[in-house]
Amino acid sequence: MKRIAILLCLILTTFLCSCGNPADKPKPSASPSPMVTPTPEQTEAPKPSEEPEATPQEEEAPEEPPVEEEPEEPPAPPQPQVIGKYTTKVLDANDGRLANMKLAAQSISGFVVDPGEVFSFNATVGEASAANGYKEAKIIVNGETQDGVGGGVCQVSSTLYNAADQAGMQIVERHDHGKDVGYVERGRDAAISYGTYDLKFKNVSDTSVTLQVIVDGSFVTAQILK
């Protein structure tokens, strides 16, 4: 029995030695992995990380020069208002008569009559004499028509009288001719004779008025403006 036990021990030891340590056995080689062809995207070199673009600084806009305000235009002066106007037709347009009427009209146009002031035709126009540049033309003397220096001046005074009356001026002095004159109705004329007959009217308004007389060859027009 003892021999049998020893023999079994020897057999067992031999068996164990022949088998060896399982860890020393070579491991089976792994199957080679199939070759994978990289795609073009995979072969590209990796791009460096992109840095965020720097935000450009906004340039400050140049300061605009201050806008100069245009100076305000002064208000337009008020236009003169016509408060009296009268026109008569020139019936005798000879050179001497027209020259006399224009000369008298120039002396009157632009004359200003202040409130309460009395306008005098003779004081403004002066004597219708040759020395003052007046010429001969038909005049009425004592109801008769005759040649004389200053013919035509009475048509200017008569036209101005009607304009002044229309404008509300107070008539201080006025005289009729000895006969009809034709360019105004009877009683609407104003005879002038320096030193004897005059045309006067007073400005009874509260504002100054300006006189204007225009002779255009066919008509005589007088205006009272304020």
Side-chain angles (χ1 to χ4, degrees):
M1 289 298 290
K2 189 174 181 179
R3 289 181 178 183
I4 294 173
I6 293 171
L7 181 62
L8 289 175
C9 288
L10 290 173
I11 294 171
L12 180 62
T13 300
T14 303
F15 176 77
L16 290 174
C17 289
S18 62
C19 291
N21 192 348
D24 294 337
K25 292 182 179 181
K27 294 182 179 179
S29 61
S31 306
S33 299
M35 183 177 295
V36 178
T37 304
T39 62
E41 290 80 1
Q42 292 175 335
T43 59
E44 291 181 358
K47 294 182 179 180
S49 59
E50 296 182 357
E51 296 182 358
E53 296 182 359
T55 304
Q57 295 182 353
E58 296 184 359
E59 296 183 359
E60 295 184 359
E63 294 183 0
E64 295 183 359
V67 179
E68 296 183 1
E69 295 183 358
E70 295 183 0
E72 295 183 0
E73 295 183 359
Q79 296 297 318
Q81 178 183 355
V82 178
I83 59 174
K85 182 177 180 180
Y86 200 82
T87 300
T88 58
K89 184 175 177 60
V90 177
L91 302 177
D92 183 2
N94 68 69
D95 293 342
R97 188 177 181 86
L98 284 175
N100 293 339
M101 288 191 290
K102 289 180 179 180
L103 190 57
Q106 290 174 2
S107 300
I108 297 169
S109 292
F111 191 90
V112 177
V113 186
D114 293 323
E117 185 180 358
V118 175
F119 168 82
S120 167
F121 189 94
N122 283 337
T124 304
V125 175
E127 184 179 4
S129 63
N132 289 332
Y134 288 87
K135 304 181 181 303
E136 283 195 359
K138 296 295 182 181
I139 60 174
I140 298 174
V141 179
N142 298 323
E144 300 292 334
T145 302
Q146 62 184 45
D147 291 333
V149 177
V153 172
C154 289
Q155 182 165 353
V156 175
S157 61
S158 297
T159 306
L160 180 60
Y161 156 67
N162 283 276
D165 188 45
Q166 187 183 104
M169 302 291 106
Q170 179 183 337
I171 307 303
V172 177
E173 181 180 352
R174 182 198 69 86
H175 301 275
D176 291 331
H177 286 83
K179 62 181 293 185
D180 292 344
V181 293
Y183 46 78
V184 291
E185 296 179 0
R186 190 172 182 83
R188 301 303 302 176
D189 56 336
I192 294 296
S193 177
Y194 191 80
T196 305
Y197 293 161
D198 196 0
L199 168 64
K200 295 180 179 179
F201 55 82
K202 181 178 182 179
N203 179 9
V204 293
S205 70
D206 57 357
T207 60
S208 298
V209 298
T210 303
L211 312 182
Q212 185 181 66
V213 180
I214 302 171
V215 180
D216 65 4
S218 299
F219 298 94
V220 180
T221 300
Q223 294 186 130
I224 312 295
L225 312 173
K226 75 170 184 179

